[in-house]
Amino acid sequence: QQQVKQSPQSLIVQKGGISIINCAYENTAFDYFPWYQQFPGKGPALLIAIRPDVSEKKEGRFTISFNKSAKQFSLHIMDSQPGDSATYFCAASIAGSNYKLTFGKGTLLTVNP
Amino acid sequence: DAGVIQSPRHEVTEMGQEVTLRCKPISGHDYLFWYRQTMMRGLELLIYFNNNVPIDDSGMPEDRFSAKMPNASFSTLKIQPSEPRDSAVYFCASSLWPFYGYTFGSGTRLTVV
């Protein structure tokens, strides 16, 4: 059972454009939603995270939008740059066990110059 | 800090052989995780430790897989005997309580021929 569904699988964006990656979850007990960024040959690295008590969190060009009623959250990358080309994973964890993450299957983002 | 250190970076072995993957977590981190990454299944949690004690090994696929953490600075994941379907990238990650996200190592790419 896939508890976190991520889309699209791949995304191509022009430099300066907005990249949007979406995730949906099923378990209403999830209460921590991070995004990880992975470059080829490297492990995933924490990019930004949100808890359900807020609807949006912004860090630089990266924004998480969270819709609790729809059980969806998304990552927006503003002014996308070629250096943002990577695989992005959403994840979720359950209250009281927020060290045990369930990951989406990832989105390969390519930003063309 | 050098981050989470995994060895070897690449391992090619023949079916039936024993494989041992190694991990050194970040000093002071009290949680250690082993993940497996494949194209088909994405990132899967195999097992995690808290203060060197295995807490949840429900993700370990078969009895052929075993993991140990003899001390706070070292963990191993062993596959015996290895099979071609074990080919994947294996990641070790560590974290600190309270939880602010994992730090992943660079992974071990295992190929079983």
Side-chain angles (χ1 to χ4, degrees), chain A residues 14-96:
Chain A
Q14 292 299 118
K15 179 182 176 182
I18 302 173
S19 303
I20 302 174
I21 304 171
N22 301 299
C23 281
Y25 62 96
E26 299 163 0
N27 191 336
T28 55
F30 284 148
D31 78 334
Y32 174 73
F33 303 91
W35 285 88
Y36 281 77
Q37 179 188 55
Q38 184 180 28
F39 293 106
K42 300 292 186 181
L46 179 64
L47 188 62
I48 187 173
I50 197 169
R51 295 191 185 275
D53 52 343
V54 296
S55 60
E56 185 175 283
K57 182 174 182 180
K58 184 177 181 179
E59 291 184 2
R61 296 184 294 108
F62 300 90
T63 299
I64 298 180
S65 297
F66 183 78
N67 185 329
K68 188 174 182 178
S69 60
K71 294 188 286 185
Q72 295 176 347
F73 59 109
S74 59
L75 176 68
H76 296 235
I77 306 174
M78 309 300 289
D79 187 25
S80 299
Q81 299 296 311
D84 297 331
S85 297
T87 300
Y88 292 81
F89 295 92
C90 61
S93 62
I94 293 175

Side-chain angles (χ1 to χ4, degrees), chain B residues 52-97:
Chain B
N52 313 338
V53 176
I55 303 300
D56 185 347
D57 65 355
S58 59
M60 296 286 260
E62 299 173 31
D63 291 345
R64 300 183 295 106
F65 286 70
S66 62
K68 294 181 179 179
M69 192 166 186
N71 57 62
S73 59
F74 184 66
S75 178
T76 60
L77 178 68
K78 185 178 294 186
I79 307 173
Q80 166 63 18
S82 58
E83 297 182 3
R85 58 196 171 114
D86 301 331
S87 297
V89 180
Y90 290 82
F91 287 103
C92 174
S94 67
S95 72
L96 186 64
W97 188 262

Side-chain angles (χ1 to χ4, degrees), chain A residues 32 36 38 41-46 51 89 96 98-101 103-105, chain B residues 9 31 33 35 37 40 43 45 48 56 91 97 99-102 104-106:
Chain A
Y32 174 73
Y36 281 77
Q38 184 180 28
K42 300 292 186 181
L46 179 64
R51 295 191 185 275
F89 295 92
N98 58 6
Y99 38 79
K100 186 177 175 183
L101 292 172
F103 284 86
K105 289 199 170 181
Chain B
R9 287 299 310 275
Y31 283 86
F33 306 83
Y35 275 84
Q37 185 176 39
M40 288 295 294
L43 279 160
L45 177 64
Y48 76 90
D56 185 347
F91 287 103
W97 188 262
F99 182 67
Y100 293 115
Y102 298 160
F104 280 86
S106 292

